[in-house]
Amino acid sequence: MILVSAYCAVLLSFASGLLALLMNQQHILLTLSQYAVKKCFNDAGHRQDWLNKYLEERHYPAFLRLAVFILLGLSGVFAVLAGLAVLITQSVITDQIALGLPWLPWHVRFDCLSGFFYLIIGIGVCAVSLYGPGYVHSNKEKDHPFAVLGLFTGLFVSGMLLVLLADDAFFFMIAWELMSVASYFLVAFQHEKSANRRAAFLYLLMAEVGALSIILGFGVLASFSDGFTFDALRASSLSTTWASIAFVLALLGFGMKAGIVPVHVWLPEAHPVAPSHISALMSGVMLKVALYGLIRFCFDLLGDVHWQWGVVLLILGTLSALGGILYAMMQTNLKRLLAYSSVENIGIIFMVLGLSMIFMANGHPQLAALGFLAALFHAFNHALFKNLLFLGAGIIHHQTHELNIDMLGGLIKRMPKTSLLFLVGCMSISSLPLFNGFVSEWLAFQTALQVDVLDNGVLRSLIPVSAAALALTAALAAACFVKVFGLIFLGQARSRNSGKAHEVHDKGMLAGPALLAGLCFFIGIFPGVIIHLINNVSSQLLGATLPDDSTLGWLWLAPVSAHQASYSAPLVLIGALIAAGICYGYLRRNPLTVMRRAETWDCGFGGLTPRMQYSSSAFTMPLRRIFASVWIIDEQIYKDTQGAMNQDVAAVHYQLHIEDHSWPRLYRPIACGVNSLSKQVGRIQTGNIRTYLGYSFATLLLLLWVIS
Amino acid sequence: MNWLIAILQTLLFVALAPLLAGWLKWCKCYLQNRKAPSLFQPYRDLLKLTHKQPVVAEQASWLFVTAPYIIFSATILAASVIPLIAVDLPTSASADVIVMVGFFAFARFFLALAGLDIGTAFGGMGSSREMTISSLAEPAMLMAVFTLTMTASTTNLSGAIAHVLNSGLVLRPSFVFALFALILVAVAETGRVPVDNPSTHLELTMIHEAMILEYSGRHLALIEWASQLKLMIYGVLIANIFFPWGIAETFTAQALGYGLLAIMGKLGLLAIFLSIAETLVAKMRLFRVQEYLGFAYLLGLLGMLSHIILEASR
């Protein structure tokens, strides 16, 4: 039953993709339906009308779009149901599908870990399919055909779901490639701009390099076992060296997809150019699938983890978290900023996963379960709020045609509902108490503070330092999202487009983000719901649960022991409501002191203009100066002078260009190397038939010599 | 009973905060050869503000008007988890020290947004500077706090203070470092000299004041009260974590009375030190603050490392 709904989720998303193909087949459908109706019914009158109404020129595209997204949404619902069912029953379901290679049918396995990620995907897909119909409505069919978008969205979602079901390396890689390639077409959807094509190519290139690395990782495992099924891979016993090689390959492959520094460069390029609901899926959900791959590979297939791997993950995670948020801070394109912030969050997840590995390898499985819990919980939370923020960015773009946050402003009055939803997203991602982001960060700190149980002195001093880096990351994230919300929604409009914006009319476009925002708040108040589910995952995968799961009530969150640390969000919420309620009621009792509106104080000069407000680069200037060496900053100020002796400044031009260090340091050398290597190889291609005959002759001689 | 005491203690916390501000001002005036206002002047100011009609800029949205209530209640929540006169508070269990830092972040988030809401250059400037300084101060603060929590192996503030109290007078090098780190952070976070000067409105130096420039009436009262409360919170943290003696361990009237006297004495002394420091030190340039906070972070890190190397039980 559970497996059936899991299959249903895959099939429905696949079907939604296929249905989208009918976008341009309207006339064929029309004739077919007329034919069918004539054949089957004698009095075809009103049935014909009913069908024609949907197949009519005007209604057909909207109707089909709706149908495609309904199918997608159903797939999401089935995914949520299947995920919840397997998590609650804690079962492991295996199956085989007679597809694929003749001697290797597709092995399917649906366990708690897959179920948890199924849940993440399901929620993301549900929100996106509520949002989608309104968002794609304004796309011009000629430039951006819906058939392409719908087909690849469906394939992309089914690819992601299949990755989670895979129980052999072949099936896994097929599903993985389906996911990667389908998402390539989605990134390249708006292909009329060359920058978008370039971003899409970069994405494809990195996805394929990553996939190669994963294949090699599986290859290392497979060479020590008799088969490609995960069961055989699990049974293999590797020496430490080979296991570490497999780990590094998997880390490179899955890390490339997840976007850890320094292999993160595709994220800030690809996310901004994809349609917003697709970037929501890619950032909120696909990165989690990569995380799933890494967890499956390390904790399940490789079996016994080494603490050195944990240290690698911890350091990479810390670098990604800090680097991601510092780069995010400097962006002016909202979606680019969100993409960098995904790098940060993935970094946090890797950090905590590293801690979990360290505790696991040092023989503290319960603390490992705590770290695992924090990592998966943060993955879940990130899926919620990053999805929400990307959908919000989509609404902003849809209404103002603007993604540059220096061109927005004052939207809180013109788009009150969107602003509230976006505020919830910003608060969650800044890990403020009462919201879900805080709970996972709190758990991460609690994990890091358990360092006293370790024997290794280096680890014991390394982990607190990374905890402090986590604190810095959280504080910078708060600063970054104050900037985002403050510049987009508050103040005065900085451009005409944002001055004329109005709230979206489509209810679905608000319902999708509202679902996510509601979950962000609900999970923030009652984190126990998800923690119970993750505890089931870790009991199945790690064989250990939280140290003290008896205290896991709906009211209290005490992961280690009630004596050591506890947090009760419902009580905090009640306290906050009481405190705010009392002072609100008390202070506003006097009718004489009712609020009065007046002009903003302008220092007596008059004429406050929107250009006097702080801009994005002004807001981040102190941090840019403090952490100057993190970026490559190209800041230029030109002055147009006029008048006698060029003394008067007529205008000042300011240019700021900020670049990632990884391009000149890592990627350009590689690109140059590949280029020059291919030039060297190109030398043997002289274009002369005699030379080629010579090559054939030499090869023939060589082969004959080898054979004899 | 425990809950009642916790609530009463929170109310006491809120009630005493303006008094501390008045005492601080009194000490400073005395040191600078000025005539001091009454100790109760902050109360009168707050009362006066609540009776005035608040004037709100036309640009302001609902966020600007709601922010003071949010800031005030978040600060009260932070105060409620800190043992003031007695340990073993039930509120400390509902929110530990990391959550307390989270409450500060919550208040700051809305204060910075309120600064940006009006759309003037001052508000943006204040928000930008406040977020910069606090994002550097927060890791230093957590470093210092982690030293405490790792020593006591609990993040529950009541538990940690009780642990320090029960282990008697032990000189821990880690605590010395953590104390200095926390003092530096407290000065930065509460906007005192040398990081920010609460008594000027000079545009080049303003941080906190720049954000709240547009507030008036009861909104200003709430924000002022919240910042007085914040000052007191940091004072109590320093006093009760590093010098917890005198705090009540049982809920008898006598013990609670002694606890109240003890904390008032400790805070009074701290305020004297703070006012001496404020009189002697000049305000820093804004771009020296990162060195100052970097130093605080380094002290916190040293405290943590000396705990791990010297004191941990293996």
Side-chain angles (χ1 to χ4, degrees), chain A residues 413 455 564 566 593 596 619, chain B residues 56 59 93 128 154-155 314:
Chain A
K413 288 189 208 114
D455 295 321
Q564 280 205 357
S566 51
T593 60
R596 183 164 67 85
F619 191 89
Chain B
V56 174
Q59 275 297 321
S128 157
T154 172
T155 54
R314 66 184 77 220

Side-chain angles (χ1 to χ4, degrees), chain B residues 24 33 40 93-94 125 173 176 188 197 209 233 255 272 289 303:
Chain B
L24 188 62
N33 273 338
F40 299 100
S94 68
M125 185 183 75
V176 179
N197 191 348
E209 295 294 322
I233 288 174
I272 293 173
V289 172

Side-chain angles (χ1 to χ4, degrees), chain B residues 72-90:
Chain B
F72 188 60
S73 41
T75 319
I76 289 184
L77 281 180
S80 74
V81 304
I82 299 167
L84 177 72
I85 53 173
V87 289
D88 192 25
L89 291 175

Side-chain angles (χ1 to χ4, degrees), chain A residues 646-664:
Chain A
N646 279 351
Q647 294 262 314
D648 302 335
V649 177
V652 180
H653 302 277
Y654 177 78
Q655 266 188 350
L656 179 67
H657 186 72
I658 291 172
E659 206 185 7
D660 202 323
H661 269 303
S662 57
W663 276 108

Side-chain angles (χ1 to χ4, degrees), chain A residues 25 145 237 268 417 468:
Chain A
Q25 317 305 324
S237 65
K417 290 173 192 154

Side-chain angles (χ1 to χ4, degrees), chain B residues 42-102:
Chain B
Y43 291 103
R44 290 180 197 148
D45 288 342
L46 289 179
L47 202 65
K48 179 188 75 186
L49 284 174
T50 54
H51 284 301
K52 289 203 165 193
Q53 184 184 31
V55 182
V56 174
E58 278 159 357
Q59 275 297 321
S61 65
W62 61 266
L63 202 138
F64 183 81
V65 183
T66 345
Y69 299 98
I70 298 177
I71 294 163
F72 188 60
S73 41
T75 319
I76 289 184
L77 281 180
S80 74
V81 304
I82 299 167
L84 177 72
I85 53 173
V87 289
D88 192 25
L89 291 175
T91 42
S92 291
S94 68
D96 65 357
V97 65
I98 301 172
V99 186
M100 188 201 76
V101 176

